[in-house]
Amino acid sequence: MKLGRLNHVGVATPSIEESIAMYRDLLGATHIGDAFDLPAQGVRVCFVNAPNSQIELIEPLGAGSPLEKFLEKNPMGGQHHVCFEVEDIDAARAWFEGKGARILGPTRIGAHGTPIFFLHPKDMGGMLTEIMESPKQAH
């Protein structure tokens, strides 16, 4: 397996709107996508485009969101995960499984519309890591 580019850093937030204001007003971000719901993952998502990557703002979407526990421990939010691209999601999953890495849940469709899965932080140096099949078109 060959690890691809860093696609994004996921940042949990209690308020996407407040986070957008910070990235826009404090950091000068000008390319900010529209927020949208991702019910299958229990989150609301918004991408802030940087010259070399993206910040994925993620906010809980109702009760039972997987972000609830993270925000209980980190009320202001913070870095939640990193996401790397791979050419073939099935080959990557098999490779990680063969290495004994714990995969959290099934492969599913992520916010970019491509297949993803997550690796357990305890197998990745303490960082929740998303593996994403490279999009076929620019994002």
Side-chain angles (χ1 to χ4, degrees):
M1 192 211 60
K2 182 180 177 189
L3 189 64
R5 78 190 259 308
L6 172 69
N7 180 276
H8 66 266
V9 174
V11 176
T13 177
S15 168
I16 282 180
E17 294 308 316
E18 289 178 17
S19 292
I20 287 172
M22 186 215 33
Y23 279 92
R24 182 189 60 232
D25 301 341
L26 188 59
L27 294 171
T30 57
H31 296 92
I32 302 170
D34 294 328
F36 60 94
D37 294 348
L38 200 57
Q41 294 188 38
V43 295
R44 184 165 178 73
V45 177
C46 176
F47 286 100
V48 177
N49 295 308
N52 59 349
S53 191
Q54 293 181 310
I55 301 295
E56 179 188 39
L57 300 174
I58 47 177
E59 173 185 291
L61 184 60
S65 171
L67 289 180
E68 282 183 324
K69 289 183 182 178
F70 183 90
L71 288 173
E72 284 174 14
K73 294 177 186 175
N74 308 280
M76 292 178 61
Q79 184 176 334
H80 183 261
H81 68 272
V82 294
C83 176
F84 293 101
E85 293 182 13
V86 296
E87 288 297 318
D88 182 325
I89 198 76
D90 295 325
R93 186 177 181 105
W95 190 84
F96 282 110
E97 287 172 337
K99 294 289 186 182
R102 288 170 280 185
I103 297 174
L104 303 173
T107 299
R108 56 195 178 272
I109 300 301
H112 284 298
T114 64
I116 65 161
F117 61 82
F118 287 90
L119 297 167
H120 198 288
K122 290 182 179 178
D123 295 330
M124 298 302 295
M127 175 60 64
L128 179 62
T129 303
E130 180 179 359
I131 302 298
M132 173 183 126
E133 190 164 277
S134 297
K136 304 301 181 225
Q137 58 192 30
H139 56 278

